[in-house]
Amino acid sequence: MPKRKIKQKSDTDIHRVTTSGDIEVSTYLEIAKEMGGEQPVVAEETVPVPERESIVVIDFGSQYSLLIARRIRECQVYCELVSYDTPWEKIAPLNPKGFILSGGPASVYQSGAPLAPAYIYENHVPVLGICYGMQVITQQLGGQVEPGSKQEYGHSILHLSGTESLLFEGLEDSLPVWMSHGDRIEEMPPGFVSLAYTENSPIAVMGNNDGIYGIQFHPEVVHTPQGKTILENFAYRVCGCRGNWTIGSFINDSISGIKKRVGKGKVINALSGGVDSAVVATLIHRAIGDQLTCIFVDHGLHRREEVERTSRVFKENLGMQIIYVDAADRFLDRLKGVVDPEVKRKVIGEEFIEVFEEEANKIGRVDFLAQGTLYPDVIESAASGSTASAKIKTHHNVGGLPARMRLSLIEPLRYLFKDEVRKVGLELGMPEEMVWRQPFPGPGLAIRIIGDVTGEKLEILRSADFIVMNEIKKANLYHHLWQTFAVLTDVKSVGVMGDFRTYGYLIAIRAVTSEDAMTADWARLPYDLLARISNRIVNEVSGVNRVVYDITSKPPSTIEWE
Ligand code: XMP
């Protein structure tokens, strides 16, 4: 595995990257409580795993570690990712039926290289070492790892040696695989046999009779097309899992878990219009009905029709108790003359907390605050030692709620990936349009208006943005794009309409593809579509006479303009 580069401070560090579209809203509340002198009460809930069976991935720092966990869950087996130094007491409740040792950037023969804890080998459950994980097994069980004369990176062909192996059951004798390593196995530990080789790795797969396997390639990446079958074979045939991790079972178990935890208590939830807070609300409502109150703070920075749509879905379709607060004027007032993007975020965060607190106080006693935290956020916080709130706090420095609001956090999605959250939403009967909504930033249109935010500019941007969304949806591209939006720049330029010279605003269109918002590429939208969007905007939105398309990727740009 090539050594990982030390990350330089860059825009990607400065701008948050969260998987949860609406983490910002809930994080404001969490920060507020901390600053009010009260530490947030850490959620006690454990993941509801029916009859507790899981596979645990031991993380040695590979960029693909989380992907392994996702792939295993796709096999309907519950899977968690934990650091290699996690004590057994934390693992035991998961009842692991097998372990996977991930790849990683280190070399096992160097001093201080991370190794697997003793319980991995003492538990007599199967172990699959991937890349660095295979080298860890080799080193710890008495074999030898050495620097390879050639690095092997990219596509390779794996040839099975003919020895029967559960891991490769149902597969051809030769498979395309994805390699990424510098070190290689020189000598296998006692009791192991070689099961497959590639041109550059005489021992590309090894195994013993105790169900311990090492594979030099990465089965979790799409470039290993049969990788999913190999992981499935490991989970089902080697570890004997039954595959009881389903969305239906998650919902049932979550509902009973929430009922038990909340008892007769009251829960509040800040709705943002995003997927995660919406799914959280729906799940909790299913469990405790009207003991849940949702507060939807309308900061006046939403897209056109967004507020109405969210309120309608929650009230009418899902029958929830919602307090809708029209606070648009308050936010606009506070934003007057604010130009700096980070100050905009801070102002919006502070105002949000004030409004939320006022409304929450009207409800009377409340015991729990629901949040839409997702698993990658949990993992990231654990790895960096910082919570989402710490990250945003340094970034936004928002003010706090008084300590009298004593709330425990309830985070029913903290063990789910985003795609699982969407499946939960669909299974709970939420409308597709809400479940598949593109991410939208907490501070909304305020960070898509360059310079100060005014009511007039908001209207111009809303109109232009509405056209962009409308055309993107008509072209059936909405679901293929990570985000699509309009930006109102502070540039004015000269134009001509009919016999008149105009001096109007410049609108920029941004459409990006991305997997996780860490990196993004500008979407190659068809020219005809861009032409339609441009024509419609200059014809239908007064005050705008020029449209440009943003053709920069992230990095070096960010997705948002502010
Ligand atoms: P950037 O602009 O950093 O955005 O490439 C990455 C992702 O984060 C979203 N974003 C935000 N979300 N509050 C949020 O809730 C914010 O202040 C914020 N800034 C950016 C952005 O829309 C993209 O999905």
Side-chain angles (χ1 to χ4, degrees):
M1 158 76 74
K3 304 287 166 281
R4 214 195 276 176
K5 275 200 248 144
I6 304 290
K7 234 175 128 207
Q8 301 296 319
K9 191 133 187 76
S10 67
D11 263 357
T12 25
D13 298 311
I14 298 163
H15 265 245
R16 269 168 332 292
V17 175
T18 64
T19 43
S20 158
D22 24 70
I23 193 154
E24 178 122 358
V25 166
S26 47
T27 306
Y28 286 147
L29 304 171
E30 195 187 327
I31 298 163
K33 282 201 299 148
E34 275 183 68
M35 296 184 75
E38 183 201 347
Q39 293 299 314
V41 179
V42 177
E44 285 156 19
E45 60 241 289
T46 47
V47 63
V49 189
E51 296 166 51
R52 291 267 147 178
E53 80 169 22
S54 68
I55 286 183
V56 173
V57 179
I58 305 288
D59 184 20
F60 290 108
S62 158
Q63 56 187 323
Y64 303 129
S65 299
L66 207 52
L67 202 51
I68 306 173
R70 281 184 65 163
R71 294 282 174 265
I72 294 290
R73 289 214 203 159
E74 281 165 16
C75 305
Q76 306 208 321
V77 172
Y78 184 68
C79 185
E80 278 197 29
L81 176 69
V82 302
S83 171
Y84 65 91
D85 53 5
T86 307
W88 171 246
E89 298 73 65
K90 290 215 164 148
I91 309 270
L94 292 169
N95 188 21
K97 295 278 185 226
F99 290 102
I100 296 181
L101 310 186
S102 84
S107 282
V108 279
Y109 45 79
Q110 282 169 345
S111 75
L115 296 173
Y119 59 75
I120 296 287
Y121 306 110
E122 287 165 357
N123 265 291
H124 300 291
V125 296
V127 182
L128 174 66
I130 296 176
C131 197
Y132 179 78
M134 176 192 201
Q135 293 151 16
V136 166
I137 292 173
T138 308
Q139 176 90 352
Q140 288 186 295
L141 298 186
Q144 203 169 342
V145 179
E146 295 203 342
S149 51
K150 277 194 210 152
Q151 295 219 334
E152 203 176 4
Y153 187 78
H155 289 286
S156 200
I157 298 292
L158 184 80
H159 303 282
L160 301 188
S161 60
T163 312
E164 290 258 314
S165 159
L166 292 174
L167 213 50
F168 294 97
E169 224 165 87
L171 293 174
E172 302 287 315
D173 290 344
S174 296
L175 317 168
V177 294
W178 180 259
M179 288 285 198
S180 171
H181 67 109
D183 295 339
R184 65 182 224 166
I185 312 297
E186 222 29 63
E187 195 184 314
M188 287 180 286
F192 280 77
V193 292
S194 170
L195 298 171
Y197 60 92
T198 65
E199 197 182 331
N200 290 319
S201 295
I203 307 166
V205 177
M206 64 178 194
N208 73 1
N209 286 335
D210 293 332
I212 303 186
Y213 293 91
I215 56 181
Q216 193 61 81
F217 61 91
H218 288 273
E220 68 276 22
V221 301
V222 287
H223 313 292
T224 302
Q226 280 86 12
K228 174 124 188 259
T229 310
I230 296 169
L231 291 172
E232 217 164 53
N233 281 345
F234 179 68
Y236 285 90
R237 297 180 197 276
V238 180
C239 301
C241 292
R242 282 160 301 152
N244 54 11
W245 172 252
T246 62
I247 295 301
S249 69
F250 169 82
I251 293 176
N252 288 339
D253 295 334
S254 291
I255 288 175
S256 48
I258 293 166
K259 275 187 180 153
K260 206 164 132 214
R261 178 142 185 248
V262 173
K264 293 196 181 324
K266 279 194 170 180
V267 183
I268 44 170
N269 178 37
L271 280 183
S272 69
V275 183
D276 310 319
S277 65
V279 174
V280 164
T282 312
L283 192 59
I284 296 181
H285 184 253
R286 197 55 77 81
I288 56 164
D290 284 350
Q291 283 165 265
L292 168 74
T293 306
C294 293
I295 299 179
F296 184 17
V297 177
D298 178 5
H299 51 23
L301 306 167
H302 288 284
R303 291 178 143 147
R304 183 178 287 171
E305 294 182 2
E306 193 88 345
V307 172
E308 296 78 0
R309 191 168 38 231
T310 306
S311 305
R312 197 175 51 241
V313 167
F314 281 97
K315 271 194 188 141
E316 291 168 22
N317 295 24
L318 303 169
M320 287 187 204
Q321 268 196 155
I322 295 206
I323 298 177
Y324 165 79
V325 197
D326 179 358
D329 289 345
R330 285 176 64 163
F331 279 85
L332 208 53
D333 217 41
R334 286 285 306 273
L335 283 168
K336 212 171 260 169
V338 179
V339 173
D340 183 295
E342 296 316 310
V343 180
K344 282 182 186 173
R345 287 180 165 92
K346 180 172 177 284
V347 163
I348 293 166
E350 283 175 354
E351 194 60 27
F352 184 90
I353 286 159
E354 266 180 51
V355 177
F356 187 83
E357 195 218 342
E358 282 170 23
E359 293 307 318
N361 278 341
K362 291 182 195 160
I363 305 174
R365 189 194 148 86
V366 176
D367 310 278
F368 296 93
L369 172 67
Q371 282 199 174
T373 316
L374 305 193
Y375 193 51
D377 298 321
V378 174
I379 292 290
E380 203 201 323
S381 308
S384 63
S386 71
T387 58
S389 69
K391 273 183 279 163
I392 294 183
K393 185 157 46 183
T394 49
H395 206 52
H396 300 271
N397 193 22
V398 292
L401 277 186
R404 64 174 178 273
M405 279 192 76
R406 304 186 66 80
L407 303 171
S408 303
L409 294 182
I410 185 160
E411 301 176 300
L413 309 181
R414 67 182 273 117
Y415 292 97
L416 296 194
F417 289 106
K418 188 86 179 188
D419 50 334
E420 292 173 323
V421 171
R422 292 206 162 102
K423 286 183 193 153
V424 170
L426 290 174
E427 187 118 348
L428 287 170
M430 292 172 60
E432 296 225 354
E433 123 189 282
M434 180 162 270
V435 169
W436 290 105
R437 180 183 182 269
Q438 288 180 354
F440 185 70
L445 301 182
I447 56 165
R448 292 180 181 168
I449 292 175
I450 311 303
D452 66 332
V453 179
T454 64
E456 185 208 355
K457 286 185 188 169
L458 275 167
E459 259 326 294
I460 292 176
L461 180 56
R462 265 194 203 106
S463 307
D465 188 74
F466 190 77
I467 292 169
V468 175
M469 295 314 274
N470 186 256
E471 290 296 334
I472 290 287
K473 284 180 179 168
K474 273 201 309 203
N476 283 328
L477 288 174
Y478 182 81
H479 294 314
H480 299 283
L481 299 168
W482 175 266
Q483 276 173 292
T484 333
F485 55 90
V487 175
L488 178 59
T489 72
D490 58 352
V491 171
K492 280 192 155 184
S493 71
V494 175
V496 56
M497 275 186 187
D499 293 334
F500 297 98
R501 179 184 172 282
T502 59
Y503 189 55
Y505 280 112
L506 170 70
I507 285 276
I509 309 298
R510 186 80 164 135
V512 295
T513 52
S514 176
E515 288 280 314
D516 51 14
M518 299 261 266
T519 58
D521 197 6
W522 60 279
R524 278 30 173 199
L525 295 184
Y527 282 169
D528 287 349
L529 173 61
L530 286 170
R532 263 197 312 278
I533 291 173
S534 165
N535 275 341
R536 281 193 60 191
I537 290 177
V538 290
N539 284 318
E540 295 174 34
V541 185
S542 76
V544 177
N545 66 356
R546 195 177 294 267
V547 176
V548 294
Y549 187 47
D550 182 348
I551 52 165
T552 27
S553 59
K554 171 183 177 173
S557 289
T558 49
I559 296 176
E560 302 292 343
W561 275 37
E562 285 201 335

